[in-house]
């Protein structure tokens, strides 16, 4: 038999932080989760799979209106007409207590309740599917411990939304260990919650398919579900099924060899050009550029992330790359260490460096600087309020990061001027 295992679809996940970008492809980003899920259903029908498993976080929370539910019901209807059953449970984002709106689902959808673990039997496929939905989002009990023993003579699948051990980056919901799952006696565990693809072999095949569609820069790279094939001897083959319609990418650009702002712009544009050749010509990209390296241009770049993004964006648009959106440019450069050491006024610059370091521990100076900077923040245009990274630090009286940035930039400016 063959089946599709998907999780963490987050249908109609809300967009945040994009209002500051007039050039953001908002519509494409807003519809990406639906488009990816539609592609998944297309594959299920075209490949005539035996069933589909959705291991939690189908939704991203309570619906804004019924349109999200209507869309999902329509897709389940397509699978129903193709005689494809669906085994569905809810995770922390669509826990029973989270959802105030509901719609009746077609008869092919088998929904796991939240009261206790349940089992659905498919005699035709000699299949038993076990699972339990979340009742509340912050479910920290070990749900796997309550799952029933395997049904003898059947292929047993456990569907579970869990952080699993070792996934510190994810909230510790329904925690359990890999060894515990392997010892349960099931042949396959269809997991959800962790957004990166992972698979383990042993007495059971344990799989996180990852989320279906990347939604922000923290979810870079290819995304999708898995196609699982089980032969007559019970051997399991797992193949990634990539259905994402827009891909997020982090591009690191070393500008150590650049000596000016203009050269940095050209270096980033060249890196973007090279990136585009690596991807399918039909795959839209949302890219964050991380600019790093010890460069003489460090001082000239200080505080110009917005201007740098605009320049690079202009370069890519001039080349006709309409499938690429530059989400953000982040500066992480530093001044070359040798720039002051070889300077005629090295001693004076060294003294300045000491003064800058001492400033971070001078409460009187910091209070005076805070007062002066708050006046500037208050007068800044609204367009700058959310785009200047130090404004939040200034409001919170945390000036160390700003001083860490200003020090090298000031040193680089003086060295360049001399």
């Amino acid at each position: 038999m063959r089946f599709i295992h998907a999780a963490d679809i987050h249908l109609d996940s809300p967009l945040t932080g994009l209002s500051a970008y007039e050039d953001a492809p908002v519509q494409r980003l807003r519809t990406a989760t639906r488009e990816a899920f539609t592609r998944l259903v297309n594959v299920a029908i075209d490949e005539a799979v035996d069933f589909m498993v959705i291991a939690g976080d189908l939704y991203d929370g309570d619906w804004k209106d019924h349109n999200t539910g209507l869309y999902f019901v329509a897709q389940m209807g397509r699978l129903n007409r193709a005689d494809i059953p669906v085994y569905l449970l809810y995770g922390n984002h669509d826990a029973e207590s989270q959802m105030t709106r509901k719609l009746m689902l077609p008869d092919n959808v088998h929904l796991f309740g939240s009261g206790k673990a349940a089992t659905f039997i498919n005699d035709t496929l000699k299949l038993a599917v076990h699972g339990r939905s979340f009742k509340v989002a912050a479910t920290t009990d070990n749900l796997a411990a309550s799952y029933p023993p395997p049904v003898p003579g059947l292929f047993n699948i456990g569907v579970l939304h869990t952080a699993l051990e070792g996934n510190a980056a994810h909230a510790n919901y329904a925690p359990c260990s890999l060894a515990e799952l392997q010892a349960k006696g099931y042949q396959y565990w269809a997991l959800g919650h962790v957004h990166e693809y992972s698979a383990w072999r042993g007495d059971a095949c344990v799989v996180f398919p990852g989320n279906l569609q990347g939604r922000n820069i923290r979810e870079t790279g290819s995304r999708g579900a898995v196609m699982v094939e089980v032969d007559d001897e019970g051997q399991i083959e797992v193949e990634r099924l990539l259905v994402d319609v827009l891909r997020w990418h982090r591009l690191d650009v070393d500008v150590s060899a650049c000596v000016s702002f203009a050269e940095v712009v050209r270096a980033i544009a060249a890196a973007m050009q090279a990136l585009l050749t690596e991807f399918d010509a039909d795959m839209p990209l949302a890219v964050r550029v991380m600019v790093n390296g010890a460069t003489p241009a460090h001082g000239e770049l200080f505080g110009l992330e917005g201007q740098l993004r605009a320049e690079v964006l202009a370069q890519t648009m001039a080349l006709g790359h309409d499938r690429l959106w530059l989400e953000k440019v982040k500066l992480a450069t530093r001044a070359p260490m040798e720039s002051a050491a070889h300077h005629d006024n090295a001693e004076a610059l060294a003294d300045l460096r000491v003064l800058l370091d001492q400033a971070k521990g001078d409460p009187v100076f910091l209070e005076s600087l805070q007062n002066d900077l708050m006046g500037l923040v208050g007068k800044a245009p609204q367009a700058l309020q959310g785009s200047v990274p130090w404004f939040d630090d200034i409001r919170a009286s945390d000036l160390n990061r700003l001083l860490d940035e200003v020090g090298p930039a000031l040193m680089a400016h003086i060295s360049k001027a001399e």
Side-chain angles (χ1 to χ4, degrees):
M1 63 184 170
R2 286 193 309 161
F3 64 93
I4 287 175
H5 165 205
D8 302 286
I9 296 159
H10 294 276
L11 280 178
D12 294 344
S13 177
L15 305 179
T16 58
L18 296 179
S19 58
Y21 302 101
E22 294 182 358
D23 54 15
V26 174
Q27 186 59 27
R28 189 64 190 266
L29 292 168
R30 181 177 288 120
T31 60
T33 54
R34 286 197 188 194
E35 291 182 38
F37 190 68
T38 298
R39 290 184 65 179
L40 185 70
V41 172
N42 291 345
V43 172
I45 294 171
D46 293 343
E47 296 292 328
V49 299
D50 292 296
F51 58 94
M52 181 185 291
V53 175
I54 301 176
D57 286 358
L58 166 66
Y59 304 118
D60 197 65
D62 204 11
W63 306 336
K64 178 182 177 182
D65 52 44
H66 279 94
N67 287 324
T68 302
L70 290 170
Y71 164 78
F72 179 68
V73 169
Q75 297 305 311
M76 294 301 96
R78 292 178 61 204
L79 293 176
N80 192 29
R81 293 190 291 275
D83 295 321
I84 298 176
V86 178
Y87 299 96
L88 168 67
L89 65 71
Y90 293 144
N92 55 294
H93 277 272
D94 48 12
E96 183 178 299
S97 63
Q98 297 283 101
M99 309 300 293
T100 62
R101 299 178 179 89
K102 293 183 180 179
L103 292 172
M104 292 182 62
L105 298 171
D107 293 338
N108 65 317
V109 180
H110 306 286
L111 175 63
F112 292 102
S114 63
K116 63 179 182 178
T119 301
F120 293 108
I121 303 292
N122 187 318
D123 292 319
T124 303
L125 295 174
K126 296 182 179 179
L127 172 72
V129 187
H130 315 273
R132 180 180 176 182
S133 290
F134 279 29
K135 185 174 184 63
V136 296
T139 296
T140 55
D141 296 334
N142 183 345
L143 297 184
S146 68
Y147 278 39
V151 179
L154 301 185
F155 187 87
N156 289 263
I157 297 176
V159 188
L160 178 65
H161 202 75
T162 176
L164 201 60
E165 61 182 2
N167 286 286
H170 295 266
N172 194 29
Y173 295 145
C176 62
S177 70
L178 182 60
E180 181 181 1
L181 298 185
Q182 296 281 11
K184 192 72 179 182
Y186 298 171
Q187 285 77 32
Y188 186 90
W189 279 96
L191 304 185
H193 184 54
V194 175
H195 286 195
E196 300 297 328
Y197 169 76
S198 298
W200 298 268
R201 296 283 184 167
D203 292 333
C205 184
V206 182
V207 178
F208 281 112
N211 60 333
L212 203 64
Q213 168 63 54
R215 299 168 300 151
N216 52 57
I217 195 59
R218 295 185 300 277
E219 298 175 347
T220 59
S222 56
R223 303 280 157 168
V226 293
M227 179 77 79
V228 184
E229 185 166 354
V230 185
D231 66 17
D232 292 337
E233 283 73 42
Q235 297 299 311
I236 301 171
E237 294 295 330
V238 179
E239 180 183 357
R240 291 199 71 190
L241 189 59
L242 305 181
V243 296
D244 51 343
V245 297
L246 179 143
R247 200 158 290 172
W248 294 81
H249 185 83
R250 171 175 165 150
L251 179 63
D252 290 293
V253 181
D254 188 336
V255 296
S256 299
C258 301
V259 299
S260 68
F261 181 91
E263 287 189 14
V264 171
V265 171
R266 286 192 286 269
I268 297 173
M272 298 277 275
Q273 174 73 26
L275 174 67
L276 285 167
T277 63
E278 299 176 13
F279 285 85
D280 187 298
D282 296 326
M283 176 62 70
L285 299 175
V287 180
R288 176 175 292 186
V289 174
M290 301 296 297
V291 186
N292 50 60
T295 170
H298 174 76
E300 190 177 353
L301 292 171
F302 177 72
L304 294 181
E305 288 179 334
Q307 177 65 24
L308 186 58
R309 177 183 181 273
E311 294 286 359
V312 175
L313 191 59
Q315 293 278 323
T316 56
M317 292 180 69
L319 294 172
H321 296 316
D322 55 354
R323 69 186 179 94
L324 184 150
W325 175 56
L326 181 59
E327 180 254 3
K328 189 176 289 186
V329 174
K330 296 286 288 183
L331 291 172
T333 59
R334 60 190 186 278
M337 293 297 293
E338 67 274 10
S339 61
H342 297 294
H343 198 279
D344 291 339
N345 293 325
E347 185 176 347
L349 290 173
D351 290 342
L352 176 58
R353 183 182 291 111
V354 170
L355 289 173
L356 288 168
D357 289 338
Q358 291 176 342
K360 291 189 290 183
D362 186 339
V364 176
F365 169 76
L366 291 175
E367 182 179 359
S368 175
L369 181 60
Q370 159 79 8
N371 293 334
D372 291 340
L373 291 176
M374 279 302 296
L376 294 174
V377 171
K379 295 176 183 178
Q382 186 61 38
L384 291 179
Q385 292 295 334
S387 60
V388 177
W390 303 288
F391 278 11
D392 288 340
D393 292 344
I394 293 169
R395 295 187 188 98
S397 301
D398 184 6
L399 303 181
N400 284 339
R401 189 165 71 101
L402 177 58
L403 289 172
D404 286 339
E405 290 283 343
V406 169
L410 181 58
M411 300 289 290
H413 268 303
I414 293 173
S415 297
K416 185 175 180 181
E418 290 293 336

